[in-house]
Amino acid sequence: MTVMAPILAPTGIDCAPVLRERGQREVFCGLTGIIWLHRKIQDAFFLVVGSRTCAHLLQSAAGVMVFAEPRFGTAIIEERDLAGMVDCNEELDRVVDRLLARRPDIKLLFLVGSCPSEVIKLDLSRAGQRLSLKHAGRTKILNYSGSGIETTFTEGEDACLAALVPDLAASAPGAAPELMIVGALPDVVEDQFLRIFAQLGTTTVRSLPARRAGDMPPVGSNTRFLLAQPFLGETARALEDRGAVRLDAMFPFGAEGTTNWLHAAAVAFGIDEMHFRSVIAPGRERAKRAIEHCRTKLAGKSIFFMPDSQLEVPLARFLAQELGMVPLEVGTPYLHRRHLAQDLALLPRETVISEGQDVDKQLDRVRAAKPDLTVCGLGLANPLESEGLTTKWAIELVFSPIHGFDQAGDLAELFARPLRRRDVLKV
Amino acid sequence: MQLTVWTYEGPPHVGAMRIATAMEGVHYVLHAPQGDTYADLLFTMIERRGKRPPVTYTTFQARDLGKDTAELFQSAARDAFERFKPQAMLVGASCTAELIQDDPSGLAEAMRLPIPVVALELPSYQRKENWGAAETFYQLVRKLADKDLRAAPREGRRPSVNLLGPTALGFRHRDDVVEISRLLGTLGIDINVTAPLGASPADLARLGAADFNICLYPEIADTACRWLEKTFGQKTVHTIPIGHGATRDFIAEVAALAGVDAAAALDDSRLPWWSRSVDSTYLTAKRVFIFGDATHAVAAARVARDELGFEVVGLGCYNREFARDIREAAKLYGLEPLITDDYLEVEDAIAKLQPELVLGTQMERHIAKRLRIPCAVISAPVHVQDFPARYSPQMGFEGANVLFDTWVHPLVMGLEEHLLTMFRDDFEFSDSAGASHLGHGSAPAPTRHPGPVPGSTAPQAPSAQPEEWTPEQVRGDVAVVATGWSPEAERELLKIPFFVRGKARRNTERYAAEQGIAAITLDTLYDAKAHYAR
């Protein structure tokens, strides 16, 4: 076993000055989070109250999932609802009653706010309370906003989980410390983490969200939580309001990120350092081996992140620290400095951090910088490719298993593949 | 409120984007919240465009609502004008901006930009994508066409026409334009302007110089054509050249209007011979269900019955604006038309009819796959595979060739599967081989029927879709009354190839109900077969 350097928590909370921009933003709204959340919570249904645009967005983003009768839908607001010919709340009750009558398997219903529903000031929280009473004992009804005016892409998951928190059971007084992993992870990744924690000997480990509405974890002052995703600011605050304590760590990407993240829990639960190292050694070694073959491809290559999901900072850290890439600009829709402190501290000094977007100005910077790889959304990827730049489309980073030791190789490969393709094509 | 999982059409501003993206030198400033930019990727991904659509979204957020979203709109319009230097601008609102009532029209007018600005009123809560595209094209034509222009006297010049309707994100519009342009060239007719696809505002100004107009896609160009007819006295060609016969009719109509000899262009497709050759005999009276936009559905029905010898058993469209066309056509086939934008109703109709071929959109492709019925795509909305790299028009004589191949292909595949099923007990074949056109590694679909199968020996693959709603569950209909099948009859039913099994089950149960038979035996099955023999 190789001797590991001591794991130091970086102290530099402050990073380089951040470039803040306002203007046209080429990003998804929070409704998009439904696409993976509805797969994660198996007995939940997500009902968007919105317009045809919302339904159109969901089907464009969900692609083929729509055809499997997914657990989401849109209650499309019509002229009649706006003209006051019918009462919006009565209409909503009618839609919900019909939906629940047909889907008795639904234990948790989210009423998801959209731009139109918020502009017409349709109070979904009151509707949720009213309907919860009506369907008490069978279906719990919660609400959150996934609208573009409130949320950007992954912030939809944040809003959804934050809506779950007040509803969580309270831990028993004086209960032993428990660990909570916060953020929807693919099942396979979640299982890997649970196995490692079991080997480490941390007592109870729960996930938020759980896979079923009835299995949501309790919360209290004995709760220690690790954020698995960097976009969960509201959820973290809601958990802290209920007495839970956040364990500060890097995000679990690559060998280093995952080690640091696991270590934060190990320290908090008083796990013996030698035991910790021996438990994680095999996974850590596998991760390092798996990313090694991408390093030759990626080392020294420059990368430019356009804002999308808030995963940009920890991913740039992984690519810079573990693969030797050079991040030129790391754009993020929102920068949570406290949660990202450890990842930020490991970014090269020269890296520009930008928050928000003025898309045309940012594209000017991309063209001027000519990065080897540009991470951007699907609305920009082909246009940039046709200008001769190589791109990696960002959404895949949210939809693929990328966390933890055993996905480190896959994660590196996601960035290496577009460059390899660029080199093999002779057309 | 309408509960929706899937929608055949986007909102009307997406229709406006299709016009802006199709044209050159037009920029669309859309008052819309953050997130509405998702529509860009329809163009960059599904249609694989190498340029961003020429759309600037104001992308307002909650914090802007308290302040001046109107100011935001004006600065977005100003920046777009300076950066992109368009020759004309479209301004409008998406569904959310419609609610905050900022009046893009007045705001843009106050800016006094030195280019034509067309303000769009697209009622998002009443109308949809096709209507939005038609309205946008009409407003552009109305604003930009030079009203003093008229066609020059015909002496000593070739006739000239406008080709109207093709857009961005249009199903096969790219190749239809090529095919019809070639055809017109053969007839000795010049094209004055093709629009909106590839046209600039300057081109729209020249519309009046043509002798007449060809309306290729009524869903998009009908409104504009009617205005041109009124304003310039230009006649409109209404025949849609989809299929062999319709293409010949189209040529005759165009030649008559242009005063040219049609003979030059009648260079036939291969469809007639392919369809008459003995290999096609098995296509006779195959029952086909057709659904899509009205134009493509009506055209497909004619090709299906008259040129392939199918029996049209269902016909419908999702765009209510063209319901009349579908009703007229349905009469020709003695059918009750299906006019709906609810895919569950379409699924229901297909499940009830058990056709042998479905012609439809991306949605029908999925419905047919679930019901294990062969299917081909004839209309938008479509996915990325229906924006192919190869030349594949729907219109004209080459279009007819494409239609023949495309529609027959899944049936030939069906025959292949039929053989697999026939020889299911053969040691070298097995049901688990799956269907060839469903891609490698596809497991056979689970059989879906109302009741459990007692004594079923059919292999049940694990369903890839564990939570399907049956149409009955979704609409709360009375479930199909499961008549009692004897185990023996059930086993016999499983010997019938899967692609006619649904029909056999339906016919047998109907026969049993009519005859008042409670328990379906082997005899009932074969009595019904004889009863319904064609």
Side-chain angles (χ1 to χ4, degrees):
Chain A
M1 188 183 122
T2 50
V3 178
M4 276 169 46
I7 300 153
L8 293 171
T11 47
I13 290 293
D14 230 8
C15 62
V18 172
L19 176 65
R20 280 206 171 70
E21 287 201 314
R22 297 288 315 272
Q24 194 198 326
R25 287 176 301 285
E26 184 89 19
V27 289
F28 281 130
C29 64
L31 294 181
T32 328
I34 291 171
I35 306 302
W36 63 90
L37 285 168
H38 90 278
R39 301 312 312 161
K40 187 69 196 176
I41 314 175
Q42 292 165 18
D43 49 5
F45 192 99
F46 292 76
L47 180 64
V48 177
V49 182
S51 64
R52 183 166 304 280
T53 309
C54 307
H56 197 235
L57 155 79
L58 279 176
Q59 89 184 38
S60 305
V64 91
M65 280 186 194
V66 163
F67 306 108
E69 291 299 0
R71 290 184 312 279
F72 64 80
T74 308
I76 294 186
I77 298 169
E78 294 165 306
E79 188 73 20
R80 305 180 315 134
D81 304 295
L82 297 174
M85 288 156 71
V86 285
D87 181 280
C88 271
N89 282 303
E90 285 172 18
E91 282 291 289
L92 185 58
D93 289 15
R94 183 180 60 80
V95 168
V96 168
D97 291 351
R98 260 180 78 206
L99 179 67
L100 293 180
R102 285 190 202 125
R103 310 265 338 236
D105 53 318
I106 301 302
K107 298 282 176 280
L108 175 61
L109 174 68
F110 286 101
L111 301 177
V112 187
S114 67
C115 301
S117 77
E118 275 158 32
V119 168
I120 63 171
K121 304 231 176 335
L122 183 56
D123 190 342
L124 291 182
S125 76
R126 279 186 51 199
Q129 288 162 5
R130 184 178 65 238
L131 287 159
S132 276
L133 282 177
K134 191 170 178 178
H135 298 280
R138 230 194 58 186
T139 306
K140 188 171 285 180
I141 295 164
L142 299 173
N143 81 287
Y144 72 91
S145 169
S147 73
I149 54 179
E150 296 285 355
T151 57
T152 304
F153 196 24
T154 47
E155 286 174 345
E157 176 177 334
D158 191 23
C160 172
L161 301 190
L164 279 172
V165 172
D167 205 60
L168 299 177
S171 313
E178 286 190 0
L179 179 64
M180 190 193 288
I181 302 172
V182 183
L185 292 168
D187 289 352
V188 58
V189 176
E190 191 186 348
D191 291 342
Q192 288 167 10
F193 284 150
L194 291 174
R195 275 199 300 273
I196 293 177
F197 284 122
Q199 285 174 303
L200 286 174
T202 42
T203 46
T204 312
V205 186
R206 309 289 297 268
S207 298
L208 183 73
R211 292 176 203 186
R212 297 209 155 264
D215 300 337
M216 294 295 167
V219 65
S221 54
N222 65 324
T223 306
R224 305 286 173 270
F225 69 92
L226 271 173
L227 292 179
Q229 301 280 23
F231 43 74
L232 298 172
E234 283 301 311
T235 308
R237 189 169 12 180
L239 288 166
E240 283 163 349
D241 285 348
R242 297 203 52 184
V245 178
R246 183 179 69 92
L247 303 178
D248 191 58
M250 285 157 69
F251 286 91
F253 298 115
E256 302 302 335
T258 306
T259 302
N260 179 291
W261 188 77
L262 294 168
H263 190 252
V267 170
F269 284 78
I271 308 288
D272 172 74
E273 192 69 14
M274 287 314 290
H275 177 59
F276 171 78
R277 291 186 182 213
S278 66
V279 166
I280 66 150
R284 184 179 160 86
E285 287 309 310
R286 274 201 306 274
K288 288 185 165 219
R289 264 206 314 278
I291 57 182
E292 197 49 44
H293 71 274
C294 286
R295 190 199 293 271
T296 44
K297 188 86 225 159
L298 294 175
K301 295 280 194 299
S302 60
I303 187 162
F304 192 117
F305 281 88
M306 298 195 83
D308 187 61
S309 64
Q310 297 184 48
L311 288 163
E312 296 84 3
V313 168
L315 290 178
R317 190 281 311 158
F318 162 70
L319 294 168
Q321 185 193 13
E322 305 190 35
L323 287 152
M325 289 191 87
V326 182
L328 303 174
E329 178 174 329
V330 179
T332 178
Y334 178 77
L335 186 70
H336 201 300
R337 283 167 177 267
R338 204 159 50 88
H339 292 177
L340 289 169
Q342 300 206 34
D343 280 297
L344 279 169
L346 290 168
L347 284 177
R349 284 228 160 271
E350 315 66 69
T351 304
V352 175
I353 309 282
S354 66
E355 187 182 17
Q357 187 178 43
D358 183 330
V359 70
D360 286 306
K361 288 191 182 136
Q362 194 170 37
L363 285 169
D364 289 344
R365 292 201 296 277
V366 169
R367 289 172 186 127
K370 294 198 178 57
D372 292 302
L373 194 61
T374 306
V375 183
C376 62
L378 290 173
L380 300 170
N382 271 335
L384 287 174
E385 290 277 350
S386 77
E387 291 180 30
L389 288 160
T390 302
T391 60
K392 162 80 215 93
W393 49 284
I395 301 152
E396 198 175 8
L397 300 164
V398 177
F399 288 176
S400 315
I402 57 171
H403 297 70
F405 289 137
D406 290 314
Q407 281 67 237
D410 303 342
L411 178 56
E413 167 65 13
L414 284 178
F415 293 93
R417 191 177 301 144
L419 291 169
R420 185 158 57 244
R421 181 165 186 80
R422 183 192 64 186
D423 295 344
V424 300
L425 291 181
K426 299 283 182 272
V427 289
Chain B
M1 289 184 193
Q2 184 199 3
L3 180 60
T4 314
V5 175
W6 200 81
T7 160
Y8 283 98
E9 294 185 73
H13 70 260
V14 169
M17 283 181 71
R18 289 176 52 189
I19 305 297
T21 306
M23 291 183 67
E24 304 289 335
V26 173
H27 199 85
Y28 184 18
V29 179
L30 181 62
H31 205 13
Q34 167 178 278
D36 279 8
T37 52
Y38 80 87
D40 281 359
L41 58 92
L42 302 170
F43 299 92
T44 59
M45 296 304 292
I46 295 181
E47 202 176 15
R48 269 185 242 257
R49 285 184 173 259
K51 272 170 58 184
R52 292 175 65 206
V55 183
T56 294
Y57 306 78
T58 54
T59 54
F60 55 82
Q61 288 174 280
R63 61 178 170 220
D64 302 312
L65 290 177
K67 291 181 292 189
D68 199 357
T69 46
E71 169 54 34
L72 194 69
F73 176 83
Q74 285 192 315
S75 63
R78 200 171 299 114
D79 290 352
F81 173 71
E82 280 161 15
R83 180 177 280 270
F84 300 105
K85 307 212 166 23
Q87 298 159 43
M89 203 182 258
L90 294 166
V91 299
S94 79
C95 52
T96 305
E98 191 183 321
L99 299 169
I100 59 175
Q101 300 180 330
D102 270 343
D103 183 28
S105 158
L107 291 170
E109 204 171 314
M111 292 170 64
R112 304 208 174 282
L113 291 171
I115 50 165
V117 176
V118 177
L120 300 172
E121 290 288 336
L122 306 175
S124 312
Y125 298 91
Q126 301 168 12
R127 302 296 197 160
K128 303 196 202 100
E129 182 182 327
N130 276 325
W131 188 90
E135 175 67 13
T136 303
F137 185 48
Y138 161 67
Q139 293 294 355
L140 274 166
V141 166
R142 205 186 150 133
K143 176 101 182 180
L144 298 172
D146 176 352
K147 294 180 189 55
D148 301 328
L149 204 58
R150 290 290 180 279
R154 276 294 300 275
E155 291 79 59
R157 70 169 178 89
R158 286 158 51 114
S160 98
V161 300
N162 297 320
L163 206 51
L164 303 178
T167 62
L169 216 60
F171 177 64
R172 307 298 168 88
H173 288 196
R174 177 194 72 192
D175 297 343
D176 283 350
V177 167
V178 173
E179 185 66 16
I180 297 306
S181 303
R182 189 190 60 79
L183 212 154
L184 294 167
T186 316
L187 285 167
I189 298 171
D190 290 333
I191 295 174
N192 178 49
V193 173
T194 300
L197 193 61
S200 67
D203 292 327
L204 293 190
R206 298 188 295 108
L207 283 169
D211 293 313
F212 59 95
N213 293 312
I214 292 175
C215 180
L216 276 191
Y217 306 103
E219 275 83 358
I220 312 291
D222 189 52
T223 325
C225 284
R226 278 188 283 126
W227 183 82
L228 290 166
E229 198 150 350
K230 210 170 61 190
T231 309
F232 296 100
Q234 293 167 328
K235 292 234 177 336
T236 309
V237 173
H238 287 292
T239 308
I240 307 297
I242 295 181
H244 178 259
T247 300
R248 291 179 70 97
D249 294 351
F250 170 83
I251 291 168
E253 189 179 351
V254 168
L257 274 179
V260 298
D261 180 12
L266 298 175
D267 67 342
D268 278 1
S269 65
R270 297 189 187 92
L271 181 144
W273 168 241
W274 253 245
S275 202
R276 286 180 182 282
S277 67
V278 295
D279 189 61
S280 302
T281 309
Y282 84 104
L283 300 175
T284 313
K286 279 221 178 283
R287 302 166 69 255
V288 58
F289 179 94
I290 300 172
F291 193 85
D293 70 32
T295 298
H296 285 88
V298 170
R302 176 176 171 181
V303 175
R305 185 182 67 180
D306 298 349
E307 299 176 17
L308 288 164
F310 294 152
E311 183 197 349
V312 180
V313 296
L315 181 62
C317 75
Y318 57 77
N319 49 336
R320 199 165 290 285
E321 292 91 346
F322 286 77
R324 186 190 303 174
D325 302 52
I326 281 281
R327 285 202 189 93
E328 290 298 310
K331 281 188 199 136
L332 300 174
Y333 306 94
L335 295 172
E336 196 53 50
L338 177 66
I339 297 152
T340 181
D341 61 355
D342 180 352
Y343 75 97
L344 294 170
E345 285 186 39
V346 180
E347 181 168 67
D348 230 7
I350 294 174
K352 279 201 174 73
L353 285 163
Q354 288 289 337
E356 290 156 284
L357 175 67
V358 172
L359 300 175
T361 72
Q362 179 66 12
M363 194 27 132
E364 283 66 48
R365 186 205 295 269
H366 284 272
I367 292 170
K369 188 170 173 179
R370 187 181 302 174
L371 300 174
R372 311 209 73 199
I373 300 170
C375 173
V377 170
I378 57 157
S379 159
V382 294
H383 206 48
V384 63
Q385 68 270 43
D386 278 303
F387 286 95
R390 69 182 181 279
Y391 184 58
S392 39
Q394 300 285 287
M395 291 182 173
F397 291 124
E398 182 56 25
N401 297 339
V402 169
L403 292 184
F404 183 92
D405 291 346
T406 309
W407 298 5
V408 171
H409 179 83
L411 294 171
V412 172
M413 291 295 180
L415 271 187
E416 184 191 339
E417 287 177 46
H418 174 65
L419 293 175
L420 272 178
T421 318
M422 289 290 286
F423 298 112
R424 178 169 45 195
D425 302 327
D426 187 305
F427 71 100
E428 282 187 336
F429 289 94
S430 78
D431 243 6
S432 57
S436 57
H437 74 287
L438 299 181
H440 62 278
S442 70
T447 43
R448 297 174 84 227
H449 40 61
V453 186
S456 162
T457 52
Q460 292 277 333
S463 169
Q465 303 161 354
E467 43 210 356
E468 289 180 358
W469 291 357
T470 63
E472 295 80 41
Q473 276 175 305
V474 170
R475 244 190 311 289
D477 292 353
V478 189
V480 180
V481 182
T483 338
W485 282 73
S486 73
E488 209 180 8
E490 275 283 8
R491 274 196 298 275
E492 198 71 6
L493 187 67
L494 289 174
K495 294 178 191 168
I496 296 170
F498 72 87
F499 53 89
V500 288
R501 199 180 297 155
K503 193 169 63 166
R505 173 181 286 278
R506 196 175 55 114
N507 284 349
T508 309
E509 287 175 0
R510 191 199 297 168
Y511 176 79
E514 282 169 5
Q515 303 292 319
I517 297 169
I520 294 173
T521 62
L522 263 183
D523 283 339
T524 323
L525 181 70
Y526 286 114
D527 286 346
K529 186 171 188 278
H531 180 79
Y532 289 107
R534 345 185 234 230

